[in-house]
Amino acid sequence: MKNEMNPFDIDKLYSDFIDKKNVENYEERYTNNEGWYKASSAGFCSRKLYYESVLKLEPTNKPSPESLMKMRFGTIFHDELQGALKESEDLSIYYRSIYNIEDTLIDTISIDNKEKEKYISEKESWKVHVEGNIELSDLNVRGHYDVVFEGDKVFLYDIKTIGAYPWKLRFGRDRKPQHRAYPLQLGTYALGIEEEFGRIDGMYLYFYNKDTSKTKTKEVPMIEKSKAYMYWEAVNEEHAKGLPKMELGQSPEKAWACGYCPFRDECKPDTYIEHMKTKGAWY
């Protein structure tokens, strides 16, 4: 049986479309800001950060079309969810107060009138901010947070789309210790949120499983805000001395990271990788 002929290369068409959108996004967010560290790079390889923000190099290793499509899904989901938030006319109906009660029960529970008034006030005062910009000039870091709910309190949410396997490693029965990047990223955004809104009362990672459509929200301890500040201080100090040396745990942060690095050809990690493999330290 002959192979069916495919007259149009739709994969290439979509890949070119994604490239175009990525260029537009980069120009909007990062053109003339290349010397800033990206908040979304927190926790990743220090050498990558150096190539990206100190030397300001063009990436030498572009993602494959398949990888671009996977990443594009995350962008689409972010846009969709943020659009839903912006169009919501009454955020109060989605707010879960500290009492975790329904409005219909507010007059039946045993809390005093002052607390009831506070509950009602909290319900009526919420605003949502999406895709806001942060700049931490003392750390030379800038970025864009996903979602902030502002009312009597201020809550920060970061949206993450992940596949079934990383979901299993994070939430499954045999869950594994997780990468430091997500909490450090959120802690970095929190520093900027605190500057802009004057406070921050909680921060959360909102996960969407791309294979099952399950969702899960995880609170991130506020200590990550302090950890993020110390992390970026250390990055600045290290980079002031020049290109960081190869050292697993920092440059790169994980062994698998080199395979996905956009600066692999510039970094040339192969000799170091082979050396670490002979010691049984590369996995």
Side-chain angles (χ1 to χ4, degrees):
M1 179 177 178
K2 289 184 178 180
N3 290 330
E4 292 188 15
M5 183 176 139
N6 179 8
F8 282 94
D9 191 344
I10 296 176
D11 287 347
K12 181 66 166 58
L13 182 151
Y14 189 49
S15 178
D16 289 346
F17 170 80
I18 295 172
D19 281 337
K20 177 175 176 288
K21 289 297 182 181
N22 286 344
V23 169
E24 290 174 357
N25 180 66
Y26 184 89
E27 289 177 349
E28 180 182 346
R29 291 188 172 196
Y30 302 114
T31 297
N32 300 321
N33 293 302
E34 290 87 352
W36 292 77
Y37 295 116
K38 297 176 183 176
S40 59
S41 293
F44 289 108
C45 177
S46 186
R47 285 170 70 92
K48 175 181 175 291
L49 288 170
Y50 191 88
Y51 291 130
E52 181 178 67
S53 299
V54 179
L55 297 183
K56 305 176 191 175
L57 299 182
E58 287 286 328
T60 55
N61 302 78
K62 301 293 180 69
S64 67
E66 292 79 9
S67 295
L68 287 173
M69 288 183 186
K70 288 179 182 178
M71 290 185 280
R72 182 66 185 169
F73 178 85
T75 301
I76 293 169
F77 183 77
H78 275 70
D79 291 347
E80 185 85 351
L81 185 53
Q82 289 169 338
L85 289 165
K86 286 190 287 187
E87 289 185 18
S88 177
E89 296 180 357
D90 183 9
L91 288 169
S92 68
I93 62 176
Y94 306 108
Y95 172 58
R96 297 172 176 175
S97 81
I98 57 171
Y99 305 113
N100 196 26
I101 54 175
E102 299 292 336
D103 285 348
T104 53
L105 300 178
I106 188 65
D107 290 324
T108 66
I109 60 175
S110 58
I111 57 175
D112 61 34
N113 287 333
K114 184 182 242 184
E115 293 296 333
K116 287 180 182 179
E117 288 173 7
K118 181 179 178 184
Y119 168 77
I120 294 169
S121 172
E122 286 179 352
K123 292 277 289 180
E124 293 175 346
S125 62
W126 290 102
K127 299 176 185 176
V128 66
H129 308 268
V130 301
E131 278 293 301
N133 181 59
I134 66 154
E135 288 188 0
L136 306 172
S137 55
D138 57 328
L139 298 171
N140 194 40
V141 177
R142 70 187 302 274
H144 301 80
Y145 62 79
D146 284 339
V147 180
V148 167
F149 292 103
E150 179 193 13
D152 290 346
K153 297 180 176 66
V154 174
F155 298 113
L156 168 66
Y157 283 74
D158 199 30
I159 303 165
K160 301 294 185 185
T161 57
I162 60 176
Y165 183 66
W167 180 279
K168 178 182 176 182
L169 295 180
R170 184 174 290 272
F171 302 117
R173 184 178 301 172
D174 300 320
R175 65 192 66 178
K176 306 293 183 185
Q178 293 301 304
H179 196 285
R180 64 178 180 171
Y182 287 176
L184 281 177
Q185 291 165 16
L186 202 56
T188 303
Y189 298 131
L191 291 169
I193 296 306
E194 194 167 47
E195 281 190 9
E196 181 178 350
F197 295 93
R199 64 185 295 162
I200 182 162
D201 299 279
M203 50 187 186
Y204 305 84
L205 290 167
Y206 178 83
F207 290 95
Y208 177 84
N209 187 321
K210 294 182 286 186
D211 296 299
T212 66
S213 292
K214 289 182 178 179
T215 65
K216 191 175 285 286
T217 303
K218 298 293 289 184
E219 184 171 9
V220 173
M222 294 298 289
I223 189 65
E224 293 297 334
K225 182 161 62 75
S226 298
K227 288 183 179 179
Y229 191 91
M230 291 187 289
Y231 167 81
W232 287 113
E233 273 194 324
V235 167
N236 277 276
E237 290 175 8
E238 183 180 36
H239 289 181
K241 301 172 186 176
L243 179 66
K245 65 179 182 179
M246 293 287 297
E247 184 178 6
L248 184 58
Q250 185 69 12
S251 298
E253 78 289 357
K254 293 286 187 181
W256 53 258
C258 289
Y260 297 92
C261 181
F263 301 102
R264 184 183 176 105
D265 287 351
E266 180 69 31
C267 185
K268 299 179 175 62
D270 293 348
T271 300
Y272 177 77
I273 291 173
E274 289 305 314
H275 171 67
M276 295 299 286
K277 282 182 176 178
T278 61
K279 296 172 61 177
W282 199 264
Y283 45 89

